[in-house]
Amino acid sequence: MVCRMFRFETEVDKARRDLLRARLRDTNTAASPVLRALRGSPGERESPLHVWALDGAGGLAGGLVGHTWATWLHVTYLWVDERHRGAGLGSGLLARAERTARQDRGCRSSRVETWDFQAPGFYTKQGYEVVCVIPDYPPGITEYTLTKRLG
């Protein structure tokens, strides 16, 4: 029996993080024919997707920040200024992002995470379905993951 001694460290180390990411990517690519086929294709890299709504003075009225990867749109942030809520601006931002992802980037699906006090109802009205519920993340809050097929 081989006995090994290891030293564990908890500090942030960006070089090790990058090395770990590269090794995990290599391991995953070797294990998955889907990921192997994705390597070197246009869908391999994440591409930012931002949609901005500006008011008449050029101020930020709302926006959506996300990215596309492997035929998916991932909505990271969607926000509308309180003065403009209820006027369809959020729906417009999301629809523009979905259209861009589908038409320009070949995306077939979209995903988003939101908390119970944010917008799960908004996303279900836009055709998203809840696929995951995580209670107490963080404590006292429920997180939802929702997805949508982009016709």
Side-chain angles (χ1 to χ4, degrees), residues 50-68:
H50 298 180
V51 181
W52 306 109
L54 307 176
D55 63 23
L60 184 63
L64 181 148
V65 171
H67 67 270
T68 57

Side-chain angles (χ1 to χ4, degrees), residues 33-51:
V34 173
L35 291 178
R36 265 195 309 281
L38 188 61
R39 300 298 175 232
S41 75
E44 177 181 20
R45 295 213 179 268
E46 287 184 8
S47 296
L49 195 157
H50 298 180
V51 181

